[in-house]
Amino acid sequence: MPASTGPAERDVAVTVTVNGEPRRERVPARTLLVHFLREQLGLTGTHVGCDTTQCGACTVAMDGVAVKSCTVLAAQADGHEVTTIEGIGDAEGLHPVQRAFWAEHGLQCGYCTPGMIMAVRQLLADNPDPGDDEIRRGLAGNICRCTGYQNIVAAARAAATMLQES
Amino acid sequence: MSERHPSGQRSRGRGLIGEAVIRREDLPLITGRGRFTDDVTLPGMLHAHVVRSPVAHARITGIDVTAASQAPGVAAVFVAADLDRLGVGPLPGADNLPPGSRNPEFPVLATEKVLWAGQPVALVVAETPATAADAAELVDVSYDELPAVTGPLEAAAPDAPVLHDGADNVAFVKHLRSGDPDAAFASAAHVVRQRMVSQRIAPVALEPRGVAAWPGDDGILEVRLPTQRPHGARNSLAAILGLDAERIHVDAGDVGGGFGAKGPMYPDQVAVIAAARALGRPVKWMETRSESFLATTHGRDQVADLELAVAGDGTFTALRGTVHASFGAYFTSNAPSSLLGRLGPMLPQGYAIGSIDVTLAGVFANTTPIGPYRGAGRPEAAYFTERLVDLAAAELGQDPALVRRRNFVRNTDFPHVTCTGLTYESGDYQVGLDLLLDKLGYAGLRAEQARAREELPGETLLGVGLGCFVEPGGITPGVPGPDGSAGDQATVTVDPSGKVTVSVGTSAHGQGHQTAFAQLAAALLDVDYEDVTVVFGDTATAPFGYGTFGSRSAVAGGTAIHRACERILAAAKRVDAPMPLAEAAARLGGLSATAASGAPPETYASGAYGCVASVDPATGRVTVERLVAVDDCGVVINPLLVEGQVHGGVAQGLGQALTEQVAYDSSGQPLAGSLMDYAVPFAASLPPLECHSLSTPATTNPLGVKGMGESGTLGATCAVVNAVLDALRPRGVRHLDMPLTPEKIWTALQPHGS
C-alpha cells in the first residue's frame, strides 16, 4: 500500500501552550507529543529512551500533571499546557529539583535526567515529604542505568527539604 | 548558580585531589540543554531506517527495493551491492585473536546469508523518520530459512548448524596452563566442580545508539556519533570507507551512557554514514529501544565448567576446566579480548592459586554480536571463582570469609604475579574483607541466621553472601598513536592570562571527566580549579587517544595529563625567578605542552562486597536487604564520582544476578525485545547502598590511581548470588544459574525441584 494516504499521515493543526508560550503547528496526525516538542519546537531536553513507555526519559507535565510524552499524541495536547525541562528553570534560576540533582550527584550521563527531574517534581507535588521507600516506589516509571538510583533518591529527598523550606 | 564546592574545600593545589567536587558538566544536563546526537538537526536532513532480518539464520534469495524506492519521500534505498559500488566495507572482525583463529569479515549489509535476527539487510533514507519507516515495510526480502543455534555449548557442538565457512562454529581455542595443575588435582583433598552460566545480558544505555553524518566544508566528512572512542571510530571509519582519517571529523557530543556497547563501530552506523556521503546530504538515524535489543551488542554469554583443587588445610591449589564463550554472529573488534585477556587470566582473582589448566573456546551463534559490557570478562571471572569459593567453603564446612582470608594474596606479597602471568601491583585484600565484615556486622548476621534456621525453619530464608574481587583497569591498546608515541595524549595550554585548557584523548560518557581532570590539572599546576577547562570527545579539538572503556581513563588519561603538566612546569622555569604559573605564562606569551601517557601498566583495584538477602519460600522472591561495598582503587581524585561509579555498577550487577536475561527460542527469536520484557533494575529494586573504601595506591603510575569503573558489576553479582544461595543451602540447593528469578527459586525449592 502506498505510504502516504492513511489518516495517520494527514496533517492536523495543534495549538499547545508550551512553557507558557502558545505554539501553533501543523503536524501529521500520528505525531507523538515528544516528537512535536523535539522536532517542531526544538525543545530537545525531552529525551526518547524507549518505545514502550517504560523508561520515562520523555516525562513532561501536561496541565501540571506528569505524563510520558511518547504516549501522548501531539493532537491530544491540543488546547493544553505543557511544561518541559526547559520550562522549569535555567542557569539563572534553577528549580529546586534541578539544584538537588546537581548537589547530590543525581546524574551521570544525563540522558534520563530531564524525565527524572520532571517525575520527581510530580512526586513531590503529590507527597511533599516522602520517605526513601516512597521515593523509590514513586519513581517506578523512570529508568536510570548509571546511578543505581542512590543519588536520585538523595536528590529527591534534598529537593523535598528545599521545597518545604522555601 | 556557579560551581559550588562543599564549604571548606580548597579550590587549588594538591588538596584538590580527593575532594568531592560537584560536577561541572551538570548544568546543561539538568536544564535540558545537553547536546546528544539525536538533538542534531540540519537543513535538508534526511532520516534513515534499517531493514533488519526477521529470522536468525537464512539464505537471502532475493531483495526487491522497487516499491520502497518509489515510496513518497524516499531519497534512496541501499543494499549490499550498492555499498560495494561505493567501496564501503566490510568491518574487519576482531583484534588480537590467537594464531589460527577464524575471523570472518562483518558485512555492513547482509549479502548471501543473515546470521542473526536483527542483522542489517538494507537501509532506507527518506525525508522523515516516519516516511523512512513506512518505506522500509515495502522492502521485500526473500529468505530461505536455516536451522539456528543460540547457546555457547550448543553452538560448539559438532552437529550444530554452521554459521560461517568452515566445519564448525569454534572460532578459536586457547589454553591457559602453568604450574603443575595435574599434581595439584591428584593430591587435592577436595575438588569442587560446577557448571556455571554467565547469561547473555543487554547493556541498555538510556540513550540508544545512532549517528548523524553530513558532508562538511573542504570535503571533510562530519560525523556525530555517540561513541566511547572518537579517534577509534574515526580510524575504523577511514579503513571501512577507504578515506584518509584526516578527512573525517568525529564529534561524540554528549553520550548517554555506553557501558562498553558504544565502543565498537557498528554496521548500521557505517551504512548511514556511507549514505550521507553518497547522497551529499545530512542523514540521521537513531535506533529505537526495541531495535537496540537486536542491534546493539550484548554482553557475557559464557558457560564455565570449572574445578577448584583444595588441599586438606583449605588452601586452593589449582583451577582447571573449560569456558565456552559465544560471540554471537560476528566478532566485534574487541569482544574476544574480554575472554582472552580478562575472563581467563583473571580467574585466580585475589587468591594465591599456583596452577591453572583452563581452555577458552570462542564460538559463533545465531545471536546478536557480543561486545564488551561493563566489566567485559572481569565480572564473569569473579563470579565463577567466587561461586567455586563458596562451594569449597560448604564442602570444607568452614565459614566462607575464613576460607577467603586464608587464600588471599598477602599484603606483604605484592607485587604478585598470578599463575596466569598478570602482575598485581598492590592491594590489601585481608584488610578490605575485614572492613566489610565489620560494616556488615558479619558475626551477628551469622548468629541471627543460625537462630532463624533453628527456630523458624519454614519461614523466610536469610542469606549472607560475599563477593571479593580484583579488577584490572587502565589498559592501553598496543596500537601506537599517529605520531608513533605510545598511549593517550594530553595537551595542556596556559594562555597569557593564566587560563588553562586541558585536552585529552580519553572521552567521557557520564563519568565526570571534565570535573576530575580539572581537579587533577589544577592540583598538579597549582592553579585555580575554575581557571581550568577540559576538552575531549571531538577529534578536531582533542589529541589522539583510545577513548574510555575498561576502567582506563584515570590511569591512562590521568597519566597523560600528569606528563603534560610536568612539561608545562618545566617550561615555566625558563623565566628568571620563581613565580606563579600564570605570571610565568604571561611573561612567556603562553605555554603549551603535549605528552603521551607512555602506556602505563594496568592497575589492579580490588573490593569486598557483602549482601544480605532474604528469600520467601512460598513465592521464591528475593529481597535484597543490604548491599555493602568496600572498594580499593588507590588514590581517589573525586570520591563523589568514584561512589557514583560503584552505585551504577552495583545496580547492573544486581540486574544480572536477579532479573536480566536476553533469552532466545530454539529458532533464534529473541524473547526479550523491549523494556517491557527485559528487566533492568528500578529504584525500588535496590536497597540503600553502603559504600566504604580503603586505599592502597598504585605503584605503576605517577598518580597512584587504579581503574574502578566496573567494580560494582564484579562485587554485586557475586555477593547477591552467594547470598541467595546461602539462604537456599539448608533446603538442599547447591547452585542455580542467574538470573535468580522467583520462578527458578520456587521450582528449586519444590520437593522434586532440580
Side-chain angles (χ1 to χ4, degrees):
Chain A
M1 193 166 93
S4 72
T5 55
E9 294 84 44
R10 229 169 272 151
D11 282 358
V12 295
V14 294
T15 304
V16 188
T17 302
V18 180
N19 299 331
E21 215 180 302
R23 308 293 294 258
R24 189 175 168 76
E25 301 278 338
R26 287 192 71 79
V27 295
R30 63 179 168 180
T31 303
L32 298 171
L33 178 58
V34 65
H35 293 132
F36 175 78
L37 295 169
R38 291 181 52 82
E39 283 142 33
Q40 256 73 31
L41 307 185
L43 294 168
T44 54
T46 303
H47 294 155
V48 180
C50 77
D51 46 7
T52 51
T53 320
Q54 250 73 38
C55 83
C58 66
T59 305
V60 301
M62 191 153 97
D63 299 332
V65 177
V67 296
K68 291 181 175 177
S69 61
C70 72
T71 314
V72 177
L73 292 165
Q76 289 174 289
D78 184 40
H80 294 270
E81 288 189 9
V82 170
T83 306
T84 71
I85 185 72
E86 291 93 341
I88 66 163
D90 58 18
E92 281 68 50
L94 291 173
H95 187 279
V97 178
Q98 291 172 313
R99 276 209 321 267
F101 268 73
W102 194 358
E104 298 296 330
H105 187 30
L107 61 148
Q108 292 183 27
C109 83
Y111 197 78
C112 77
T113 308
M116 206 53 97
I117 287 173
M118 297 304 286
V120 168
R121 193 169 161 265
Q122 178 71 56
L123 187 142
L124 298 179
D126 296 342
N127 181 357
D129 188 19
D132 277 12
D133 285 352
E134 290 172 305
I135 295 169
R136 287 181 184 273
R137 284 198 305 274
L139 292 176
N142 290 70
I143 293 172
C144 169
R145 194 64 160 165
C146 293
T147 65
Y149 305 96
Q150 176 104 341
N151 290 343
I152 290 174
V153 175
R157 215 169 37 226
T161 305
M162 276 191 251
L163 284 163
Q164 285 186 313
E165 284 170 358
S166 66
Chain B
M1 193 161 97
S2 66
E3 268 160 0
R4 299 161 320 124
H5 308 255
S7 60
Q9 284 186 343
R10 282 162 283 212
S11 66
R12 63 186 297 149
R14 269 280 169 187
L16 262 173
I17 292 180
E19 288 289 348
V21 178
I22 302 291
R23 295 203 323 173
R24 54 171 56 189
E25 35 277 88
D26 288 0
L27 182 58
L29 299 172
I30 56 177
T31 53
R33 287 154 182 92
R35 41 187 298 274
F36 295 94
T37 296
D38 196 23
D39 302 342
V40 174
T41 298
L42 292 167
M45 184 172 258
L46 298 166
H47 298 267
H49 190 98
V50 184
V51 177
R52 298 183 182 278
S53 171
V55 294
H57 197 187
R59 282 183 199 292
I60 297 175
T61 55
I63 305 181
D64 184 353
V65 301
T66 316
S69 303
Q70 292 166 358
V74 171
V77 181
F78 296 87
V79 297
D82 301 309
L83 298 186
D84 271 355
R85 274 194 297 279
L86 294 167
V88 172
L91 283 72
D95 309 327
N96 299 317
L97 287 169
S101 302
R102 285 153 64 197
N103 191 14
E105 291 178 331
F106 189 170
V108 174
L109 296 173
T111 51
E112 295 105 42
K113 270 176 89 176
V114 288
L115 299 183
W116 89 89
Q119 181 168 0
V121 175
L123 186 80
V124 177
V125 183
E127 296 295 332
T128 69
T131 52
D134 287 343
E137 294 289 320
L138 303 174
V139 174
D140 187 4
V141 188
S142 306
Y143 297 100
D144 186 359
E145 224 177 316
L146 299 164
V149 64
T150 60
L153 289 178
E154 295 79 358
D159 57 348
V162 177
L163 278 76
H164 298 284
D165 294 337
D168 59 27
N169 294 314
V170 180
F172 63 80
V173 174
K174 185 179 179 183
H175 300 286
L176 301 178
R177 193 180 162 91
S178 78
D180 194 349
D182 301 339
F185 274 94
S187 64
H190 306 272
V191 174
V192 181
R193 297 188 178 85
Q194 187 60 49
R195 169 169 288 183
M196 296 166 283
V197 176
S198 184
Q199 81 276 24
R200 176 176 277 257
I201 50 181
V204 194
L206 248 284
E207 178 202 34
R209 286 183 312 112
V211 61
W214 62 96
D217 297 337
D218 305 323
I220 299 287
L221 176 61
E222 297 285 346
V223 180
R224 269 297 296 272
L225 190 73
T227 178
Q228 299 172 219
R229 315 168 60 143
H231 289 88
R234 182 194 65 180
N235 294 350
S236 304
L237 271 177
I240 295 162
L241 300 175
L243 289 176
D244 183 348
E246 298 306 313
R247 311 298 294 163
I248 303 173
H249 171 210
V250 173
D251 179 7
D254 285 321
V255 179
F259 313 119
K262 285 175 182 161
M265 176 58 67
Y266 286 75
D268 42 28
Q269 292 167 328
V270 171
V272 172
I273 295 165
R277 280 194 81 211
L279 297 169
R281 286 176 68 177
V283 181
K284 183 166 80 176
W285 166 75
M286 292 301 299
E287 69 181 359
T288 65
R289 176 60 57 193
S290 304
E291 192 177 16
S292 180
F293 280 102
L294 306 173
T296 294
T297 53
H298 298 151
R300 319 291 191 245
D301 207 3
Q302 302 99 350
V303 178
D305 290 286
L306 290 172
E307 299 176 273
L308 177 64
V310 186
D313 65 353
T315 304
F316 304 157
T317 55
L319 273 166
R320 76 179 175 198
T322 303
V323 179
H324 284 90
S326 168
F327 289 95
Y330 292 94
F331 283 138
T332 53
S333 55
N334 55 351
S337 300
S338 299
L339 176 69
L340 297 165
R342 302 295 181 199
L343 198 165
M346 285 309 300
L347 283 171
Q349 288 294 302
Y351 305 109
I353 297 174
S355 300
I356 192 163
D357 181 9
V358 168
T359 300
L360 306 172
V363 306
F364 295 115
N366 295 111
T367 51
T368 295
I370 286 287
Y373 168 56
R374 200 168 195 166
R378 300 165 181 80
E380 300 96 308
Y383 172 72
F384 295 147
T385 298
E386 287 295 272
R387 279 300 302 139
L388 288 176
V389 170
D390 262 26
L391 291 170
E395 183 148 339
L396 289 161
Q398 295 179 4
D399 187 279
L402 186 76
V403 171
R404 283 176 171 81
R405 189 187 282 108
R406 180 187 298 124
N407 284 284
F408 278 146
V409 175
R410 286 174 304 189
N411 58 9
T412 49
D413 289 349
F414 289 96
H416 167 76
V417 181
T418 68
C419 63
T420 50
L422 304 175
T423 303
Y424 298 170
E425 80 285 22
S426 65
D428 197 332
Y429 309 148
Q430 288 90 346
V431 166
L433 178 60
D434 288 346
L435 180 58
L436 172 71
L437 299 180
D438 178 49
K439 297 295 180 186
L440 270 173
Y442 186 74
L445 284 170
R446 287 294 180 203
E448 185 189 332
Q449 181 184 45
R451 218 169 29 246
R453 284 177 180 175
E454 183 93 357
E455 294 168 10
L456 306 161
E459 307 275 316
T460 299
L461 306 167
L462 179 71
V464 183
L466 302 176
C468 297
F469 62 88
V470 177
E471 180 196 358
I475 194 169
T476 294
V479 189
D483 62 357
S485 58
D488 301 76
Q489 300 185 9
T491 299
V492 175
T493 304
V494 189
D495 73 22
S497 74
K499 299 287 185 197
V500 176
T501 302
V502 176
S503 46
V504 62
T506 54
S507 179
H509 43 285
Q511 293 86 351
H513 293 175
Q514 281 186 31
T515 302
F517 285 156
Q519 285 177 256
L520 182 60
L524 296 172
L525 297 174
D526 195 22
V527 299
D528 202 285
Y529 169 79
E530 308 290 346
D531 284 339
V532 182
T533 301
V534 177
V535 174
F536 53 72
D538 183 334
T539 60
T541 53
F544 176 80
Y546 301 93
T548 288
F549 55 93
S551 298
R552 70 182 305 277
S553 288
V555 176
T559 298
I561 291 168
H562 181 272
R563 287 182 161 204
C565 287
E566 279 193 324
R567 288 187 187 175
I568 289 282
L569 293 173
K573 290 191 177 133
R574 292 201 310 263
V575 294
D576 44 16
M579 62 184 68
L581 180 65
E583 277 178 48
R587 290 260 204 109
L588 295 166
L591 291 162
S592 184
T594 293
S597 68
E602 278 203 272
T603 57
Y604 292 88
S606 58
Y609 282 33
C611 175
V612 181
S614 58
V615 178
D616 178 352
T619 62
R621 183 163 183 267
V622 173
T623 302
V624 176
E625 314 275 1
R626 288 178 67 198
L627 261 168
V628 184
V630 172
D631 276 276
D632 176 2
C633 60
V635 171
V636 168
I637 299 171
N638 183 329
L640 202 62
L641 303 183
V642 166
E643 281 204 5
Q645 289 295 309
V646 171
H647 298 160
V650 165
Q652 292 180 354
L654 178 135
Q656 173 162 25
L658 296 183
T659 58
E660 296 184 36
Q661 180 170 22
V662 175
Y664 291 91
D665 73 9
S666 60
S667 69
Q669 286 297 321
L671 299 176
S674 76
L675 287 172
M676 286 169 43
D677 36 31
Y678 184 86
V680 298
F682 295 95
S685 311
L686 290 139
L689 310 178
E690 304 165 51
C691 297
H692 306 282
S693 65
L694 70 152
S695 175
T696 58
T699 54
T700 48
N701 66 68
L703 302 171
V705 296
K706 298 181 182 181
M708 58 69 57
E710 300 161 297
S711 68
T713 56
L714 283 74
T717 311
C718 302
V720 171
V721 173
N722 280 342
V724 173
L725 289 164
D726 182 54
L728 300 180
R729 200 154 59 84
R731 296 297 197 87
V733 179
R734 172 189 160 91
H735 178 79
L736 292 173
D737 285 318
M738 303 182 289
L740 299 176
T741 57
E743 180 268 336
K744 199 178 283 180
I745 290 171
W746 184 87
T747 302
L749 287 175
Q750 299 318 296
H752 301 293
S754 52

